[in-house]
Amino acid sequence: MPRDARVDAYIAGKAAFARPILIHLRDLVHATVPAIEEAIKWSMPAFLYRGRPVANMAAFKQHAGFGFWNRQAMPTGQEGEGMGQFGRLTSLADLPADAVIAAMLREAVAAIDGGTVPKRAARAAKPEAAVPPALAEALAQDALATATWQGFPPGCRCEYCEWVGDAKRDDTRARVAQTIAQLREGKRHNWRYAGC
């Protein structure tokens, strides 16, 4: 697989002690799993297999780190001593033998191939925001605003509900009128900032 130029730039921008560690790990990953893909995820180099994360590496001011995505299946006893499974890496001597890392890489890829990598648990859907009575009444009287309202995702509706609901009595009517006007134009509550 081709290497990602962003990973090249990431490595080149790190401290002199970290570059050999990152280069070695990168080369080892590619030699072990030729089908591995590179990307920048979470602001650090990440290695993906069939679109699923396998491992990532990073360099900090005084150490580097390398870790597997499915950490629970591959403990090494150095968890908590730095990012990843191998603790704080300050030189190539801090890495375990290449054969150890290669075996872990093959195991991680086999887990993806075998479908045994746990998927992220589905999040429970948040309940729909309660529509303030004044806004509900105004929506009932305006079909265009209601159509826009119903087309918005729950988060956009929630923003309007909170904004109208937080208003004091005299201010409520003005906020409801502004909400209806913006909805008639198809605008989200924070349209000025979201580029909508």
Side-chain angles (χ1 to χ4, degrees), residues 1 34-35 100 106-107 122 136 143 146 151 170 175 185 195:
M1 285 290 205
V100 171
R106 284 191 288 276
E107 184 180 335
T146 300
D170 295 339
R175 288 189 182 186
E185 295 176 30

Side-chain angles (χ1 to χ4, degrees), residues 1-182:
M1 285 290 205
R3 296 188 180 208
D4 192 320
R6 297 172 300 168
V7 175
D8 293 328
Y10 180 92
I11 293 171
K14 296 304 172 186
F17 82 88
R19 286 192 297 269
I21 298 168
L22 299 175
I23 290 168
H24 180 78
L25 288 167
R26 183 186 197 192
D27 290 343
L28 179 59
V29 169
H30 282 282
T32 306
V33 186
I36 207 82
E37 303 164 28
E38 292 184 345
I40 295 289
K41 299 231 180 238
W42 313 284
S43 301
M44 65 184 85
F47 300 100
L48 311 169
Y49 178 71
R50 294 187 176 177
R52 302 287 304 272
V54 173
N56 56 7
M57 63 183 186
F60 308 99
K61 286 184 181 181
Q62 297 181 0
H63 72 282
F66 182 81
F68 288 88
W69 186 255
N70 189 14
R71 286 187 168 88
Q72 297 79 8
M74 296 180 213
T76 63
Q78 294 179 329
E79 289 286 335
E81 296 177 24
M83 184 199 94
Q85 276 83 10
F86 306 119
R88 299 168 63 87
L89 306 172
T90 58
S91 72
L92 288 171
D94 294 334
L95 286 169
D98 287 355
V100 171
I101 299 172
M104 293 174 82
L105 283 164
R106 284 191 288 276
E107 184 180 335
V109 167
I112 292 171
D113 282 338
T116 59
V117 175
K119 294 186 178 180
R120 182 179 288 170
R123 293 182 184 182
K126 291 183 180 179
E128 185 77 27
V131 180
L135 180 56
E137 184 180 319
L139 284 168
Q141 297 173 8
D142 192 309
L144 181 58
T146 300
T148 302
W149 176 264
Q150 291 172 344
F152 280 162
C156 291
R157 292 190 296 262
C158 181
E159 288 175 352
Y160 272 122
C161 289
E162 288 176 355
W163 184 60
V164 170
D166 288 345
K168 303 296 179 206
R169 279 193 164 255
D170 295 339
D171 197 23
T172 303
R173 283 185 294 275
R175 288 189 182 186
V176 168
Q178 186 176 352
T179 297
I180 296 300
Q182 286 183 190

